[in-house]
Amino acid sequence: MANLTEPSSSTSFASSYLSNGSSVYHASIAAAAPSPPAPPAAQERGTNLEVLSLSKLSSNLERLLLDTEFDCTDAEIMVEGSPVGIHRCILAARSRFFRDLFAQEGGGRGGRQEGKPRYDMEKLVPGGRVGREAFMVFLSYLYTGKLKPAPQDVSICVDRFCVHDACRPAIGFAVELMYASSVFQIAELVSLLQRRLLNFVEKAMVEDVIPILQVASHSNLNQLLSNCVQRVARSDLDDIALEKELPQDVADEVRTLRRKSQPKESNGTVDPMHDKRIKRIHRALDIDDVELVKLLLSESGVTLDDAYALHYAAAYCDSKVVSELLDLGSANVNLKNDRGYTPLHVAAMRREPAVIVSLLTKSASVLETTADGHNAVRICRRLTRAKDYLTRTEQCQETNKNKVCIDILEREIRTNQMIGEDSVTSPLLADDLHMKLLYLENRVAFARLFFPAEAKVAMEIAHADTTSEFTGLSSSKSASNLRDVDLNETPVVQNKRLRSRVDALSKTVELGRRYFPHCSQVLDKFLEDDLPDLFYLQKGTPDEQKIKKVRFCELKEDVRKAFSKDKAGNLFSGLSPSSSSSSPKGDAKHHKPVRN
């Protein structure tokens, strides 16, 4: 998100403090005899001194907010389950909302914890729509009069192709700030954020305009609301989404604008009875009654595909309903609706892991793309904040759903065979092929390190040793390797060559899973935890090198135990005449896995 600053904010804020001085001070000013105007140089010195004084006041107040050694806060607000300390005198001076709230303290909206009043963001803002990071930026503005830039980890997505000028996290952070500014009645910040949100409206995907529209409606921001309504009316967002996601009056206004813009000759083309039957199916799905859906299908002649029932269930129903619909076996799991979305695209937008898994188990294609070239993984990545994806999950802590969805979809891309010899022609699908190749090359490389003899036999059986190793895009594009590039190789020929390598490596991995299940589990965990960096033991600080060596020793022991289990079960009988070393050799400094 861009740096939102208001140069005059600190001056206006600090001036409000100066204007609240003692009555004695004001009386002395009023009684003073008028003095002759000061020379220009003196005026300039006075202005500079005032600016310096206001700047110092701003920084001192900010220190109150950030100082963890000396806590002089006198109340707390619970945000996302953890307390944020506040100074009621400052909030009351800056916001009429907080002044009224603190005046009625003890009326049930605040509780007491260790002597401090405690308030809950869930009760202060409808639905608790202000996250911790947004609230801290908002507090900083109240204390200093300056609006800080948004923290990157909550205002950018994890799609590497996104420029982050209008993705969902960028919009979401601005929307959270707007809720805080509107509810807590900070008019100048509302005006500033409204201009920022207006810039998003035309850039963003229509689904991402809906949160802007909702906050505009809640905050009575007429200009912003009007722009959002017009943007939605021009889009291909369907009536079901309008009904489900927009306030009723706003949805009616969108429909009115659409009717006015439609040619007269197009009126009456929709069959009212057919539309009514589809709505009945959707209502049955709303109450999770798949048996009723079956009855309606048999009586009406409408099919699940006619009603886009799978799309509807993937967007709005419980995962159990999606699974039951799929079990009927009559829905096309890769059907595209009028907007060009498959049920998996819709599920990726919802970011519900159970729904995604249900679709994938029924052969939903993870490589299908929308009209603008986005597959399910990219849709999910554009909706996911960097914080939610990159933050490590602590023990006994629930993993973020967005991260789980991305991991499921990316694993599906890596492990499933590509469909069609010449199907990988677009840059997006080619990128998926390269990603799968890099994963397989890394996996087989580490298998050869851990179990050299067994891996060699598996590669020979799979004929992987007869295909050319894939070393990544960077090496093929670099000038130093230009002599190795066949300039006459067409994209189709290149795809066939890469696919043959994928097939051979996939078969190698399958053999490993069959004959060495315990060792394969160690490899799975090794790669999922991003541990290949352990093999660069001489890199990093001395402390990092020590940690790597300890973890490397633990890994050697894990491999030894896994190999012993597989050997004891005679699972590898017939694959290898003799077992190889059951642990990584030496300090592994010569190992060169494929790197992205």
Side-chain angles (χ1 to χ4, degrees):
M1 181 176 175
N3 183 358
L4 308 179
T5 57
E6 191 176 41
S8 62
S9 302
S10 58
T11 303
S12 61
F13 172 35
S15 297
S16 69
Y17 272 87
L18 294 177
S19 65
N20 288 330
S22 67
S23 58
V24 176
Y25 174 80
H26 287 289
S28 64
I29 293 296
S35 56
Q43 289 180 352
E44 184 176 351
R45 282 196 301 272
T47 301
N48 291 339
L49 184 60
E50 182 181 4
V51 170
L52 180 62
S53 175
L54 295 176
S55 178
K56 189 170 184 179
L57 171 62
S58 178
S59 63
N60 287 341
L61 290 172
E62 184 176 30
R63 195 176 306 136
L64 276 179
L65 184 64
L66 302 178
D67 194 349
T68 57
E69 295 182 2
F70 177 65
D71 180 14
C72 59
T73 60
D74 59 357
E76 294 176 339
I77 296 180
M78 293 296 294
V79 187
E80 296 180 342
S82 59
V84 175
I86 58 171
H87 303 80
R88 285 180 292 174
C89 59
I90 295 179
L91 268 62
R94 293 285 278 143
S95 163
R96 185 179 183 86
F97 174 93
F98 282 114
R99 185 176 63 187
D100 293 343
L101 174 66
F102 301 147
Q104 16 173 324
E105 186 175 317
R109 301 184 72 180
R112 289 194 172 272
Q113 180 73 18
E114 297 180 358
K116 291 184 181 180
R118 174 171 286 184
Y119 306 88
D120 193 342
M121 184 64 74
E122 293 280 343
K123 297 178 180 178
L124 300 179
V125 179
R129 294 172 176 169
V130 180
R132 185 179 183 86
E133 292 81 4
F135 186 58
M136 292 305 297
V137 170
F138 172 79
L139 278 184
S140 176
Y141 180 82
L142 292 191
Y143 279 61
T144 69
K146 301 174 184 177
L147 187 58
K148 287 184 173 181
Q152 279 210 335
D153 61 339
V154 293
S155 61
I156 65 170
C157 69
V158 291
D159 177 15
R160 58 194 172 115
F161 298 103
C162 181
V163 295
H164 310 302
D165 62 339
C167 57
R168 177 64 70 87
I171 292 173
F173 187 85
V175 166
E176 288 182 23
L177 268 182
M178 177 61 87
Y179 273 115
S181 306
S182 172
V183 171
F184 301 144
Q185 302 174 18
I186 307 299
E188 68 273 18
L189 192 51
V190 169
S191 177
L192 180 62
L193 291 169
Q194 181 172 213
R195 292 196 296 271
R196 178 60 178 159
L197 290 172
L198 281 169
N199 291 334
F200 283 135
V201 171
E202 294 303 324
K203 294 179 182 178
M205 297 177 65
V206 65
E207 293 86 0
D208 297 336
V209 173
I210 291 176
I212 303 176
L213 189 152
Q214 290 170 337
V215 72
S217 176
H218 175 271
S219 306
N220 298 316
L221 303 173
N222 294 330
Q223 181 186 0
L224 181 59
L225 180 60
S226 175
N227 282 36
C228 290
V229 168
Q230 293 175 32
R231 170 76 170 86
V232 173
R234 294 194 305 269
S235 74
D236 57 357
L237 198 68
D238 55 58
D239 284 343
I240 296 172
L242 296 181
E243 181 181 341
K244 290 282 188 180
E245 301 182 34
L246 300 184
Q248 184 61 48
D249 57 335
V250 175
D252 292 340
E253 186 177 353
V254 170
R255 293 190 187 98
T256 301
L257 288 175
R258 285 181 171 178
R259 282 195 297 269
K260 289 179 180 179
S261 64
Q262 287 175 349
K264 291 184 179 180
E265 57 270 17
S266 67
N267 294 334
T269 56
V270 178
D271 180 0
M273 185 56 67
H274 182 78
D275 191 49
K276 187 175 182 179
R277 289 167 179 165
I278 289 175
K279 287 183 178 178
R280 285 176 179 170
I281 293 173
H282 291 169
R283 283 198 293 270
L285 290 172
D286 285 336
I287 60 174
D288 299 348
D289 195 338
V290 177
E291 289 300 319
L292 179 57
V293 171
K294 291 167 63 176
L295 180 63
L296 292 172
L297 292 173
S298 62
E299 291 180 348
S300 65
V302 175
T303 67
L304 288 177
D305 289 347
D306 291 337
Y308 293 113
L310 206 49
H311 292 79
Y312 187 92
Y316 305 113
C317 299
D318 186 80
S319 60
K320 180 175 177 289
V321 175
V322 176
S323 181
E324 290 177 358
L325 274 183
L326 289 166
D327 288 340
L328 296 179
S330 58
N332 178 1
V333 74
N334 291 311
L335 176 70
K336 290 190 175 183
N337 62 14
D338 294 337
R339 303 188 64 207
Y341 289 5
T342 67
L344 188 60
H345 294 149
V346 176
M349 294 171 67
R350 181 180 173 183
R351 290 158 289 167
E352 180 56 53
V355 175
I356 290 175
V357 170
S358 293
L359 291 168
L360 290 175
T361 55
K362 293 295 184 178
S363 302
S365 174
V366 76
L367 297 179
E368 285 286 349
T369 60
T370 60
D372 51 4
H374 292 176
N375 63 7
V377 176
R378 186 167 297 176
I379 289 172
C380 208
R381 278 184 166 274
R382 285 183 67 88
L383 297 172
T384 302
R385 305 183 304 176
K387 173 187 176 181
D388 298 331
Y389 184 75
L390 299 175
T391 301
R392 280 190 172 274
T393 304
E394 300 296 332
Q395 191 172 5
C396 300
Q397 180 183 357
E398 186 177 352
T399 305
N400 180 270
K401 279 189 175 183
N402 291 23
K403 178 175 173 56
V404 173
C405 291
I406 293 172
D407 289 345
I408 290 170
L409 292 167
E410 290 188 339
R411 186 173 300 179
E412 184 72 10
I413 290 177
R414 290 195 300 262
T415 57
N416 282 1
Q417 295 289 335
M418 296 296 173
I419 301 175
E421 285 291 327
D422 301 329
S423 61
V424 187
T425 55
S426 74
L428 178 63
L429 299 189
D431 186 57
D432 292 334
L433 176 60
H434 296 146
M435 184 167 61
K436 182 171 186 176
L437 264 171
L438 287 170
Y439 171 79
L440 290 171
E441 292 283 7
N442 272 323
R443 186 183 181 88
V444 172
F446 287 118
R448 293 174 67 184
L449 177 71
F450 296 157
F451 326 105
E454 290 76 15
K456 181 180 179 182
V457 174
M459 291 185 71
E460 288 175 353
I461 295 174
H463 303 292
D465 53 342
T466 64
T467 58
S468 57
E469 183 179 357
F470 178 72
T471 55
L473 295 176
S474 58
S475 62
S476 64
K477 292 179 180 179
S478 63
S480 62
N481 291 300
L482 188 59
R483 63 180 180 274
D484 298 328
V485 178
D486 185 356
L487 299 178
N488 295 320
E489 187 178 50
T490 65
V492 172
V493 173
Q494 183 189 53
N495 287 333
K496 285 184 177 180
R497 175 172 58 80
L498 296 180
R499 277 184 47 76
S500 66
R501 181 67 175 173
V502 167
D503 293 341
L505 292 178
S506 297
K507 187 173 181 181
T508 303
V509 172
E510 289 170 9
L511 287 169
R513 290 191 186 282
R514 178 180 176 185
Y515 292 104
F516 300 97
H518 295 94
C519 294
S520 293
Q521 289 175 9
V522 172
L523 277 174
D524 287 338
K525 188 176 187 305
F526 176 75
L527 292 169
E528 287 176 7
D529 290 347
D530 197 26
L531 295 179
D533 283 337
L534 286 176
F535 287 84
Y536 297 91
L537 300 180
Q538 296 176 345
K539 289 188 177 181
T541 64
D543 289 339
E544 289 174 344
Q545 291 179 26
K546 288 180 182 178
I547 294 173
K548 285 183 179 182
K549 288 178 180 177
V550 170
R551 184 64 187 94
F552 185 75
C553 292
E554 293 174 354
L555 176 64
K556 289 171 66 176
E557 181 62 17
D558 291 342
V559 171
R560 187 193 64 77
K561 290 179 180 178
F563 188 83
S564 298
K565 288 180 182 179
D566 289 336
K567 183 177 180 180
N570 292 320
L571 295 175
F572 64 99
S573 177
L575 177 64
S576 172
S578 61
S579 64
S580 61
S581 170
S582 59
S583 62
K585 294 183 176 181
D587 64 0
K589 64 182 179 180
H590 299 299
H591 177 65
K592 296 181 180 179
V594 177
R595 309 294 289 177
N596 259 319

